[in-house]
Amino acid sequence: MSDTPVSRLANRAAAATPQPLARRVRGLSDRAIAWIFIAPTIVLLLAINIFPLIWTIRLSFTNYRANRPNEVVKNVGIDNYTRILGDEDIWLAMQATAHFVFWTIVLQTIIGFALAWAIDRKFRGHALWTTIILIPMMLSPAVVGNFWRFLYQPQIGLFNTIVSFFTGADPSSFEMLGTVELAPWAIVIVDTWMWTPYVMLICLAGLRSIPDYIYEAAEVDRASPWRQFWTITVPMAAPFIMLAVLFRGIENFKMFDMVNLLTGGGPGSTTEVASITLKREAFEKWRTGFSSAFAIILFVAVFGLANIYVKALNRVKSR
Amino acid sequence: MKALGLSAVAVVAGLAAFAQTGEAKAAGELTLCWAAWDPANALVELSKDFEKQSGTTMKFEFVPWPNFADRMLNELNSGGKLCDLLIGDSQWLGGSAENGYYVKLNEFFDKEGIKMSDFAPATVYAYSTWPKGSENYWALPAMGDANAWVYRKDWFSRPELQAEFKEKTGRDLAPPKTWEELKQTAEFFQGRDIDGKKVYGAAIFTERASEGITMGATSALYSYGFKYENTAGKYDMQGAVNSPDAVKGLEMYKALYKCCTPPGYTDSYMGEGLDAFKSGQVAMMMNWFAFWPGMYKDENVGGEKIGFFVNPSQVVAASTLGGQGISVVANTDNMDGALAYIKWFAQPDVQKKWWQLGGYSCHTAVLNDPSFKESQPFAADFLVAMGQVQDFWQEPAYASLLQAMQKRLHDYVVADQGTAQEALDKLIEDWTEVFQDEGKL
């Protein structure tokens, strides 16, 4: 054995190991030791991820209700799935989710990238501005939901007062959370306010990973800043932007806490995104079998879309 | 390795012991679960007498109303041991009885001489029996309650407002007797400047998540003649739930919401209503009788500044039922203690003190006392309301039925979608599906 720092460390560790244990470990193959190390993780994964998933799939084919422990559980085949796919209210919830996911991603990507690009200019005080911009992201969604409820309050809310200041409209003449037309945008605004910094951070990492010599070469070739932006900055930051879109897309597809606190899915069912519907079915109506089927449909949708997206991301990265 | 194994065993044992201490209760200890509101504080005060007499230590778990049903039903469904006694909503009776969550109290009542005839019939029917109207008792009526109204008597009595109102409507500015009058009165106050402050007509229930808008809108619906079924127990809802009168009732509730509530009042229940009234924003407020003792004592808007009135009638006199019975949770480790509390609570003297402290007794010894009507400014109204109460479905599937109604009502009243007729037609479709799932249709 060579006398390297690593081997010296290994020798010291071996010397410190109690003899009985050392004898037993010495008898194990590398593969066995590897299994010993990863076994706890696998057991944990099986217990808290895989088993519940399989159990949920099983429940989704039954009429099981968690609040009726004494009732006979019947197998209903694919009834739950057909009912969900034919349920108008479920499709409305999916529409509300699509609206929320699409607009939050569009706004967060545009604003996040613009902020990252501006911060990357390294102007005077850019570090302070970076910290200030990151603050919303560090707050709990419960806190954000609650204080935006106050900000949107028509009589005393700051948001209405500011809009009123610029437009001259009476602050109490519009209700961000109480009208069908405005409520879907109210939740988009809050999510954008909170999570744009996150997109900005990822984009900033992308922008800072572009080597300076590429820009220097472009300048030698007399490429305009506009051309540099579209032919160097955007393509080279694209994998990072796509990654941010993926993370935000998955997060917002299962958004619950913030929307629940802001609107509770209302007015009516205008902002009832899929996860709120799922919660109502599972823990208010106690239709466990039905909600399991809905959860599986949502899981397959997110998983499928994410997989397609990751393939596209890999193609962009390999260019 | 052996040392490692021993450590692991010690950690597991430690955790188990920790979990045990978290769940275990002393033998002489009882936990009573209820909603966090004014009457709960009165019950804490009242229960001190029980502690003195029995030597039992009372613990209380009070959950805010918006989370009360979720929290407590989760507790029952998961077989938790948090509550020995539960003052649960009347709508939970069906499910809790059929799933074995509550103890059936008939034998205990017979043994201890507790007679249901000593309690107001409407409260026994609503808070204790399942199946409805049978002689199977799952709770002792504990807290009578109904939806009612409070108004600013000081504003109503201003001569200039009285004159203006008389001129506009041809009647006196007084507590409304019908829903038409209620809306007219609310319109009169809406946007009015009183003492330099803009005020609004009425605070009503519009909450979406739990039960708010259903409890509010049914106050109008019942008064307009809404029924759940044409024949009790037949689930024949067509023509009852969506009768022309029911449609008018729902239209009226929406009209009241549109014309006369404060801005931003789109998701409001008891707390928001109390805030609006106590801050002098509204002339009238819909809320539960349970809040009236606290409201009357309020330093800013209480006392002689306010008056109370029963839910206005239209086609029939009706009030939405609130209130609860007290049940023994079947999973309790202290069954004797829990039953002893019920026995103590059922005594006429304890019931009288309960009323004095701010709880609403359902005992005839309290309600039939000649001095009862004068004992509080809202006592007479309480008697009237309890004589005309109607309740939501108490079926085991009540949560699904309630959620469907919450959705249809909020869609129509607040989100402005469709007509009242469509909302009630869709509600019948939802409820039919629920009853079909239950095997009742």
Side-chain angles (χ1 to χ4, degrees), chain B residues 21-50:
Chain B
T21 48
E23 278 198 6
K25 284 180 191 164
E29 199 175 277
L30 275 179
T31 302
L32 189 153
C33 300
W34 199 10
W37 60 336
D38 291 354
N41 301 329
L43 189 66
V44 172
E45 199 54 38
L46 182 73
S47 298
K48 285 177 183 167
D49 291 349
F50 176 73

Side-chain angles (χ1 to χ4, degrees), chain A residues 24 65 67-70 83 89 149 154-155 172 175 178 180 267-269 272 279-280 283-287, chain B residues 1 70 74 77 99 101 208 263-264 266 281 396-397 399-400 403 407-408 410-411 414-415 433 437-438:
Chain A
R24 242 174 292 167
R65 283 170 181 266
N67 66 338
R68 310 265 180 94
N70 305 328
R83 277 170 84 169
D89 293 333
R149 262 182 89 99
Q155 294 177 77
S172 55
E175 294 171 10
V180 176
S269 310
E272 190 171 307
K279 184 250 181 183
R280 286 198 169 130
F283 300 113
E284 286 173 15
K285 297 183 183 174
W286 294 99
R287 298 167 80 191
Chain B
M1 199 67 168
D70 270 5
N74 266 320
N77 293 333
N99 295 321
Y101 297 151
R208 167 72 174 89
T266 56
Q281 264 200 311
S400 295
Q403 278 306 314
K407 177 181 164 55
R408 296 303 172 200
H410 213 266
D411 275 347
V414 179
E433 194 183 330
D437 281 352
E438 294 286 301

Side-chain angles (χ1 to χ4, degrees), chain B residues 63-98:
Chain B
V63 182
W65 269 110
N67 306 322
F68 180 52
D70 270 5
R71 174 80 180 86
M72 286 303 133
L73 293 176
N74 266 320
E75 181 65 25
L76 293 175
N77 293 333
S78 61
K81 287 182 175 287
L82 173 70
C83 315
D84 301 299
L85 293 157
L86 173 61
I87 303 186
D89 258 341
S90 52
Q91 301 97 314
W92 307 354
L93 265 184
S96 298
E98 292 199 0

Side-chain angles (χ1 to χ4, degrees), chain B residues 142-215:
Chain B
M143 169 78 193
D145 205 357
N147 208 0
W149 295 80
V150 60
Y151 71 101
R152 289 296 297 261
K153 199 155 72 176
D154 54 343
W155 295 356
F156 275 53
S157 58
R158 290 186 181 192
E160 72 278 13
L161 293 182
Q162 284 188 334
E164 191 185 329
F165 187 80
K166 180 96 178 175
E167 193 187 320
K168 275 188 178 168
T169 64
R171 64 180 182 87
D172 290 333
L173 181 54
K177 296 268 185 286
T178 65
W179 273 82
E180 298 283 356
E181 289 182 8
L182 177 75
K183 181 169 167 274
Q184 205 175 41
T185 311
E187 277 169 339
F188 176 74
F189 280 102
Q190 182 75 4
R192 184 168 290 274
D193 196 296
I194 292 186
D195 300 333
K197 203 169 149 187
K198 192 176 181 180
V199 304
Y200 302 93
I204 59 174
F205 298 159
T206 59
E207 186 250 11
R208 167 72 174 89
S210 61
E211 58 168 22
I213 197 164
T214 299
M215 296 298 120

Side-chain angles (χ1 to χ4, degrees), chain B residues 102-348:
Chain B
Y102 288 168
V103 174
K104 191 174 174 185
L105 296 169
N106 288 52
E107 263 182 46
F108 167 71
F109 285 167
D110 290 344
K111 190 177 140 208
E112 298 296 341
I114 298 170
K115 292 185 202 127
M116 282 293 103
S117 55
D118 287 341
F119 292 84
T123 64
V124 174
Y125 179 87
Y127 305 147
S128 302
T129 62
W130 182 262
K132 283 290 101 192
S134 69
E135 289 193 352
N136 299 304
Y137 303 121
W138 304 89
L140 183 86
M143 169 78 193
D145 205 357
N147 208 0
W149 295 80
V150 60
Y151 71 101
R152 289 296 297 261
K153 199 155 72 176
D154 54 343
W155 295 356
F156 275 53
S157 58
R158 290 186 181 192
E160 72 278 13
L161 293 182
Q162 284 188 334
E164 191 185 329
F165 187 80
K166 180 96 178 175
E167 193 187 320
K168 275 188 178 168
T169 64
R171 64 180 182 87
D172 290 333
L173 181 54
K177 296 268 185 286
T178 65
W179 273 82
E180 298 283 356
E181 289 182 8
L182 177 75
K183 181 169 167 274
Q184 205 175 41
T185 311
E187 277 169 339
F188 176 74
F189 280 102
Q190 182 75 4
R192 184 168 290 274
D193 196 296
I194 292 186
D195 300 333
K197 203 169 149 187
K198 192 176 181 180
V199 304
Y200 302 93
I204 59 174
F205 298 159
T206 59
E207 186 250 11
R208 167 72 174 89
S210 61
E211 58 168 22
I213 197 164
T214 299
M215 296 298 120
T218 48
S219 294
L221 287 167
Y222 295 149
S223 293
Y224 272 82
F226 168 94
K227 293 276 171 214
Y228 290 96
E229 308 162 276
N230 291 306
T231 323
K234 295 283 180 202
Y235 306 101
D236 48 352
M237 298 170 282
Q238 204 58 250
V241 168
N242 58 354
S243 67
D245 281 340
V247 170
K248 277 186 205 158
L250 188 53
E251 284 170 347
M252 169 55 79
Y253 197 73
K254 179 174 180 169
L256 185 63
Y257 164 72
K258 289 286 173 197
C259 77
C260 307
T261 52
Y265 216 72
T266 56
D267 191 20
S268 307
Y269 198 19
M270 311 172 209
E272 289 78 8
L274 291 169
D275 288 344
F277 193 81
K278 286 182 178 178
S279 61
Q281 264 200 311
V282 289
M284 296 177 287
M285 174 187 62
M286 159 193 280
N287 223 317
W288 303 103
F289 271 101
F291 291 108
W292 290 177
M295 185 60 74
Y296 192 67
K297 285 181 198 153
D298 190 272
E299 284 177 7
N300 297 320
V301 295
E304 289 312 302
K305 285 183 182 170
I306 56 172
F308 306 91
F309 61 94
V310 185
N311 189 49
S313 56
Q314 191 68 35
V315 177
V316 291
S319 297
T320 299
L321 181 79
Q324 300 91 20
I326 182 167
S327 300
V328 176
V329 177
N331 219 13
T332 176
D333 287 332
N334 190 359
M335 185 67 74
D336 291 343
L339 290 171
Y341 187 90
I342 301 265
K343 183 183 169 188
W344 167 80
F345 188 72
Q347 297 173 86

Side-chain angles (χ1 to χ4, degrees), chain B residues 387-409:
Chain B
Q388 61 182 39
V389 285
Q390 294 189 35
D391 198 10
F392 190 74
W393 296 106
Q394 291 194 0
E395 297 283 326
Y398 109 90
S400 295
L401 299 164
L402 180 63
Q403 278 306 314
M405 191 158 189
Q406 284 286 106
K407 177 181 164 55
R408 296 303 172 200
L409 294 183

